[in-house]
Amino acid sequence: MDARLRELGERVLAGGEVTPDEALYLLELRGPDVIHLVAYANEIRARFVGDRVDLCSIINARSGNCSEDCAFCAQSAHHAAGAPVYPLLDADAILAKARAMEAAGARRFDLVTAGYGFTEDDPDFRRILDLYRLLRRETRLELCACLGHLTPGAARALAEAGVTRYNHNLETARSFFPRICTTHTYEDRVATVRAAKEAGMEVCCGGIIGLGETPAQRVELAFALKELDVDSVPLNILNPRPGTPLEGVPPLSPEEILKTFAMFRFVLPRKVIRYAAGREVHLGPLQPLGLLAGLNGMLIGGYLTTPGQEVEQDLAMVAALGFSW
């Protein structure tokens, strides 16, 4: 085994930390040392967060015609990706999906809306608050929200309505962000994360790998999340959508994906690090290795504009590894 990997792994297991340069070293490992890296990440995960996999589900509650130009997103009005366009779903549709996901084993449920974001006087936002009050009465799910940029007042209103966790990804490293979005800034995203925390909500904040960023920029993202002290880190793998500017981006190899998962676990040993979109496409039958590379959360029941694998397959995979949910 690589001696430096052993030193870094034992340091983190003992409660220590790695530096950005050391995290980048982990991404440079090759050959058999990749398996050793994955094994250390798995041991770090077991020691600090245990064997329980945190399952959550989302619903695309308002789709398409988004004003923002995020280069990966099929819902942007700037791209011709053909994503569905519809207004805010009614309460019956949202409650039906929530109940189905709760019965399937999800612990959390997240309403996701396309668009820049909300202020507290937006009519759709007032409807969304009513939807969360309904979900709080009718289910036992922990409630999450992914509604774009928030004013401090809107963040407080969500918390008062029963939302316990807010999802707002940084998407990528600060240094790479201008190549991904020009209609808002990285600082706008950080401001929303801070508003959610100040309102008393936990924060689910991660990003997408495989956008064309360098390994060093993946490390930069991991340390930005560490600095913000977020609670849950969803890691998406770009599944390029036809009609978006990134449709031709070459895919990451499974080895590179697994090394990235492991690196995030070394940097964030005590956080929920969550499988998100793209895993089925890029890892296929290797998906169990993601959970052995340090992940301890999963998004189940499909994504915003693409389906996932069947929930039963996900639960069987978790059970086969000896994990609970």
Side-chain angles (χ1 to χ4, degrees), residues 40-62:
Y40 261 119
N42 189 46
E43 189 173 353
I44 293 165
R45 186 267 315 149
R47 177 163 300 183
F48 293 110
V49 295
D51 292 335
R52 184 176 177 277
V53 178
D54 187 62
L55 302 181
C56 66
S57 181
I58 64 173
I59 186 168
N60 192 356
R62 188 181 73 182

Side-chain angles (χ1 to χ4, degrees), residues 7-18 43-44 47-48 226 265-270:
E7 190 274 323
L8 296 176
E10 294 301 326
R11 185 198 305 168
V12 175
L13 285 168
E17 300 181 341
V18 294
E43 189 173 353
I44 293 165
R47 177 163 300 183
F48 293 110
K226 179 180 179 179
R265 178 53 68 194
F266 270 69
V267 176
L268 301 163
R270 293 173 172 81

Side-chain angles (χ1 to χ4, degrees), residues 15-27:
E17 300 181 341
V18 294
T19 68
D21 285 345
E22 289 167 339
L24 183 58
Y25 179 80
L26 298 176
L27 295 182

Side-chain angles (χ1 to χ4, degrees), residues 1-116:
M1 182 190 297
D2 181 273
R4 192 176 184 191
L5 168 60
R6 179 184 288 110
E7 190 274 323
L8 296 176
E10 294 301 326
R11 185 198 305 168
V12 175
L13 285 168
E17 300 181 341
V18 294
T19 68
D21 285 345
E22 289 167 339
L24 183 58
Y25 179 80
L26 298 176
L27 295 182
E28 294 168 348
L29 293 168
R30 296 289 184 271
D33 284 322
V34 174
I35 299 301
H36 297 147
L37 169 64
V38 165
Y40 261 119
N42 189 46
E43 189 173 353
I44 293 165
R45 186 267 315 149
R47 177 163 300 183
F48 293 110
V49 295
D51 292 335
R52 184 176 177 277
V53 178
D54 187 62
L55 302 181
C56 66
S57 181
I58 64 173
I59 186 168
N60 192 356
R62 188 181 73 182
S63 180
N65 201 31
C66 181
S67 62
E68 306 309 290
D69 69 353
C70 302
F72 54 82
C73 186
Q75 297 192 71
S76 171
H78 297 260
H79 314 323
V85 178
Y86 51 80
L88 189 65
L89 294 174
D90 64 29
D92 288 344
I94 289 172
L95 183 57
K97 174 71 180 286
R99 284 173 167 160
M101 290 297 99
E102 182 177 27
R107 179 187 174 207
R108 295 183 172 274
F109 188 69
D110 189 356
L111 304 189
V112 185
T113 57
Y116 176 77

